[in-house]
Amino acid sequence: MIILGVETSCDETSVALVKDERQILSNIVFSQIEEHTKYGGIVPEIASRRHLEHISQVTSLALKESGATPDQVDAVAVTNTPGLVGALLVGTNFAKSLSYAISKPLISVHHLKGHIASLYLTYPELYPPFIALVVSGAHTHLIHVKDYTDFIVLGRSVDDAAGEAFDKVARALGLGYPGGPAISEISKEGNELRYSLPTPHTENPFDVSFSGLKTAVINILNQKRMQEEELSRADMAASFQKVATDMLTAHLIDAALEHKLDVALCGGVAANSMLRMKISDSAKEHNIKAYFASPVLCGDNAAMIAAAGFYEYTNGNFSGIDLNAYATMSL
Ligand code: KG4
Ligand code: ZN
């Protein structure tokens, strides 16, 4: 079975073909990051317009690279939620038209289920149950993956998402957008113990909070500015990254120990090498297996959407031609 996936929830226009659940035939990702960098963040209208301009060409490339013809595609899977609604509408409408044109079923895929499916593409031997931490620019979700289409959200960020916090701290430090890779890079030269930052606490032990941590960074920056004292950007980035990654690691491992399950990490922030290392070390210490989405599948891509679409297909979850796009939707 071949599923064609479409992903346009943020600033990547992506189309992929995935065969028999876990074999990627093609995965074309057109990133708009350079254009949004000029504005220090994503401009939703620009994102929608670029999706509209590129989606047909990206689809042609994905088909060409896969070696499959449109009539060999068994279903079209598309991210229709959550994300930037104008961006989602482009992919959703395109996928609807494609499914109608080739007379193949349409499958809607929740973006977070897509990120979780990136783990199945990375590890052919991985199957549920496990505890997944999905960390992206918009989400920080701790999820009990009971089965391929059965999820329980154990906790989430009560304010900023992990990636959002990296992006905002990077912006405050003048490191540009996207902030995650910039913080990770500059932190290599920094002293992570130089600045003392708080670890925010939440009522639900499986929730996390980043807003207080981000504000603490900004307050120190303002204080140093007013007192005309120097601030080391590398030390501050490293100090922030230390607290953020310690917090996420503890969060994931605690949930795994409570549920007696292995752990998995996915989403854009899962590319962070410090976070991967800490989770790997802590999991080893507790005799837990840890799975990490392949770095090329951490960011948004359509292969993960096609893979998630496979499980929806086998579960009989199809969508009608009246499918709409939604900025938010629970799992
Ligand atoms: O999953 P993703 O590509 O898009 C969303 O669904 O949001 O995640 C993008 C986020 C951005 O906030 C970016 O700064 C962050 O992932 N990110 C990182 C790293 N690479 C990307 N955060 C920390 N360390 C990284 N190496
Ligand atoms: Zn994402």
Side-chain angles (χ1 to χ4, degrees), residues 45-325:
E45 185 182 333
I46 293 179
S48 307
R49 291 183 183 280
R50 294 302 165 264
H51 288 312
L52 199 57
E53 285 163 13
H54 296 287
I55 188 114
S56 302
Q57 203 187 355
V58 169
T59 305
S60 301
L61 274 174
L63 278 162
K64 194 171 166 205
E65 198 177 298
S66 74
T69 55
D71 55 291
Q72 288 175 306
V73 171
D74 295 291
V76 178
V78 61
T79 310
N80 72 317
T81 189
L84 302 171
V85 79
L88 289 164
L89 281 167
V90 177
T92 303
N93 203 31
F94 183 84
K96 281 163 69 163
S97 311
L98 184 62
S99 121
Y100 185 74
I102 63 174
S103 304
K104 293 292 165 64
L106 177 69
I107 300 165
S108 63
V109 172
H110 190 289
H111 186 72
L112 292 193
K113 293 186 187 176
H115 275 299
I116 290 168
S118 70
L119 294 157
Y120 303 131
L121 292 170
T122 309
Y123 298 95
E125 74 281 12
L126 175 66
Y127 53 86
F130 54 87
I131 304 289
L133 180 61
V134 187
V135 271
S136 72
H139 297 91
T140 307
H141 275 50
L142 187 63
I143 299 169
H144 178 179
V145 182
K146 295 186 80 179
D147 208 336
Y148 292 108
T149 55
D150 189 5
F151 308 89
I152 296 176
V153 177
L154 302 173
R156 66 187 82 202
S157 170
V158 295
D159 38 57
D160 293 348
E164 192 182 351
F166 271 87
D167 292 338
K168 286 180 177 169
V169 167
R171 184 198 279 222
L173 291 174
L175 296 173
Y177 177 85
I183 289 204
S184 173
E185 196 49 41
I186 198 172
S187 293
K188 289 178 190 156
E189 301 147 25
N191 171 4
E192 61 174 25
L193 300 175
R194 169 86 180 271
Y195 298 106
S196 151
L197 298 170
T199 302
H201 290 283
T202 53
E203 242 172 72
N204 170 2
F206 292 143
D207 282 342
V208 278
S209 163
F210 282 99
S211 153
L213 174 59
K214 172 199 69 189
T215 307
V217 172
I218 293 170
N219 285 345
I220 296 177
L221 286 178
N222 289 338
Q223 216 175 23
K224 296 276 175 203
R225 218 167 276 146
M226 273 162 49
Q227 291 165 353
E228 292 179 7
E229 280 177 29
E230 245 189 64
L231 177 125
S232 157
R233 295 199 302 177
D235 291 352
M236 181 54 93
S239 302
F240 163 78
Q241 183 175 258
K242 179 193 180 328
V243 177
T245 53
D246 280 347
M247 201 160 80
L248 291 169
T249 303
H251 187 57
L252 177 58
I253 300 295
D254 287 354
L257 291 173
E258 184 164 317
H259 288 82
K260 298 188 172 51
L261 291 171
D262 291 332
V263 296
L265 183 73
C266 55
V269 183
N272 186 282
S273 46
M274 179 64 78
L275 181 60
R276 292 169 91 96
M277 198 180 77
K278 282 184 181 169
I279 290 175
S280 173
D281 289 350
S282 180
K284 238 178 243 155
E285 214 174 281
H286 292 96
N287 252 328
I288 297 169
K289 271 196 196 136
Y291 298 90
F292 301 92
S294 150
V296 291
L297 296 172
C298 284
D300 291 344
N301 66 87
M304 68 186 196
I305 303 304
F310 174 87
Y311 300 110
E312 299 298 335
Y313 186 110
T314 46
N315 223 26
N317 299 339
F318 298 107
S319 294
I321 209 73
D322 57 345
L323 179 68
N324 212 331

